Amino acid sequence: MTAMKREMKLVLVTGASGFLGRAVTTELLSRGCAVRALVRSPQKAEPLSRLGAEIVVGDIRDSVISTAFLGVDTVIHCAAAIGPASLPHEVFHSVNVNGTRNLVEALKTSPHLERFVHISTVAVIGRIDPRNPAHEGSPCRPIDAYGETKLLAEKVVLDAVGTGFPAAIVRPMWIYGTESTVTTNLFRKIARRKLPMIGAARNTMQPVAIEDTVAGIMKCAVTVGIEGRIYNIAGAEILTINSICKTIADLMGTTLPKPRIPMWFAAAAATASEMLFPIVGMPPPLTHQKLEFFHICNSYSIERARGDLDWNPQISFQQGARNVAEKVKMDMQSSTGTSRQ
């Protein structure tokens, strides 16, 4: 049965100048929606302003941003403190928990609000059984400050739902795309053979293209009757890190480094790095968090999003990675040409 849809008239996007927020805002504008973009940097928001978004400069922790909510019927809350891991825990808590609480409290009495889409993360789940993809009801045991504070933010939202607040929660997996610095840096490192391969890299990941992620968020914003529901948004393919890196290397016209570094050796080096480098006031070049890329499993069921939202990821990793590789190769060629002039 086809789910009923609601119409979005005036949408507030928090964190609108970030990778995800920018893509959400652009999609909303392309659909003809009126968009109010809450940003901290007006300079970063200039491209959105040129596209027709109304720009409001402020911080989700400030009470003065209440004017941003006037007349809004939909809020897509993308703003968050993501990292690095060295960021003080207080910053994660201040932005992710207190900032979300500030938004929810300010919007509780809004006569116009019909849907609040809270962008969370699969990081709230933490370690999973690699044999069984985690679902939305799986126990949550986050392993870092980001996951811990995003889980607390989910509780803020769900507690408000219990009082009639019209919210739903989206938990994306690793979102990749041509406009993501994290994505393009990974491609550049592999292209230059500067990403050391550590261990067997058989741990899993479900990368999801930015286009598919935005499509899922849009479905969550307009589907009627999903208040209080949580949705995993991840790619259709459960891939190993080894296969992901090999795909990128192939597309970038290179190979992965050999031999591989044993995990035990890398872990010992990370411990030494984390102990010694801060003593001389330098960030450690290798950390245990960076090693998680090569040994933490990430696999998630997306059946609830398929059933409730009629959402299905359309872009395979091979296809999405090819798009990123083409852009990164062009940028690398351009920068090489510029440096030679």
Side-chain angles (χ1 to χ4, degrees):
M1 180 165 36
T2 303
M4 290 181 60
K5 306 295 181 184
R6 54 173 293 272
E7 182 182 354
M8 296 181 287
K9 299 183 180 68
L10 176 57
V11 186
L12 173 69
V13 180
T14 72
S17 60
F19 170 50
L20 178 58
R22 188 167 59 246
V24 166
T25 302
T26 302
E27 174 63 20
L28 288 166
L29 291 169
S30 74
R31 295 184 179 205
C33 297
V35 181
R36 190 172 288 157
L38 181 62
V39 301
R40 290 191 299 166
S41 167
Q43 290 75 26
K44 288 184 178 179
E46 284 180 4
L48 298 178
S49 179
R50 289 195 293 269
L51 289 174
E54 176 190 351
I55 306 302
V56 176
V57 179
D59 191 298
I60 59 172
R61 295 167 289 184
D62 296 338
S63 58
V64 294
I65 62 167
S66 57
T67 54
F69 307 137
L70 296 176
V72 166
D73 61 87
T74 308
V75 174
I76 301 179
H77 176 32
C78 300
I82 297 174
S86 57
L87 204 64
H89 191 282
E90 304 80 60
V91 176
F92 284 107
H93 195 278
S94 175
V95 177
N96 297 342
V97 185
N98 295 343
T100 298
R101 183 180 289 111
N102 190 40
L103 291 177
V104 170
E105 290 300 322
L107 286 160
K108 271 184 176 179
T109 56
S110 169
H112 305 289
L113 185 70
E114 296 178 14
R115 177 60 48 79
F116 182 97
V117 181
H118 175 66
I119 309 302
S120 186
T121 168
V122 294
V124 302
I125 297 172
R127 297 183 188 276
I128 63 170
D129 181 348
R131 299 164 296 181
N132 298 305
H135 55 81
E136 290 83 354
S138 295
C140 292
R141 294 181 289 266
I143 60 177
D144 57 20
Y146 172 59
E148 288 171 4
T149 53
K150 291 296 281 184
L151 181 59
L152 289 172
E154 283 191 8
K155 186 177 186 305
V156 169
V157 174
L158 292 174
D159 285 349
V161 169
T163 66
F165 192 64
I169 294 172
V170 171
R171 289 178 179 168
M173 220 272 108
W174 173 49
I175 309 169
Y176 70 94
T178 57
E179 301 304 312
S180 163
T181 303
V182 172
T183 304
T184 53
N185 283 347
L186 176 62
F187 276 64
R188 284 193 182 92
K189 279 187 177 180
I190 291 177
R192 293 167 177 159
R193 306 189 85 245
K194 289 187 176 180
L195 180 75
M197 294 301 292
I198 299 172
R202 294 196 188 99
N203 55 311
T204 55
M205 187 177 279
Q206 251 171 295
V208 58
I210 182 65
E211 297 86 352
D212 282 332
T213 307
V214 171
I217 292 169
M218 293 297 110
K219 295 264 190 179
C220 201
V222 301
T223 302
V224 173
I226 60 169
E227 289 76 14
R229 299 283 274 176
I230 299 172
Y231 296 99
N232 291 337
I233 297 294
E237 308 155 290
I238 299 177
L239 306 170
T240 66
I241 291 298
N242 189 67
S243 66
I244 288 172
C245 291
K246 187 177 185 307
T247 295
I248 296 173
D250 290 344
L251 291 168
M252 296 303 293
T254 188
T255 58
L256 297 176
K258 292 181 180 180
R260 296 189 176 218
I261 300 171
M263 181 59 73
W264 66 265
F265 182 86
T271 298
S273 175
E274 290 171 339
M275 289 176 60
L276 298 175
F277 277 83
I279 294 174
V280 294
M282 296 175 62
L286 181 63
T287 64
H288 284 88
Q289 186 190 41
K290 290 181 179 179
L291 292 183
E292 290 173 2
F293 182 72
F294 291 103
H295 72 86
I296 295 290
C297 283
N298 292 276
S299 53
Y300 307 91
S301 169
I302 55 175
E303 292 310 307
R304 179 181 287 184
R306 282 175 163 148
D308 287 7
L309 307 178
D310 189 28
W311 172 82
N312 278 290
Q314 302 296 308
I315 301 173
S316 69
F317 184 70
Q318 180 75 31
Q319 177 186 351
R322 181 178 294 110
N323 295 337
V324 177
E326 289 174 357
K327 181 179 187 297
V328 171
K329 284 191 283 190
M330 287 178 60
D331 289 346
M332 290 175 70
Q333 290 168 0
S334 175
S335 61
T336 301
T338 302
S339 65
R340 287 175 179 172
Q341 291 178 1

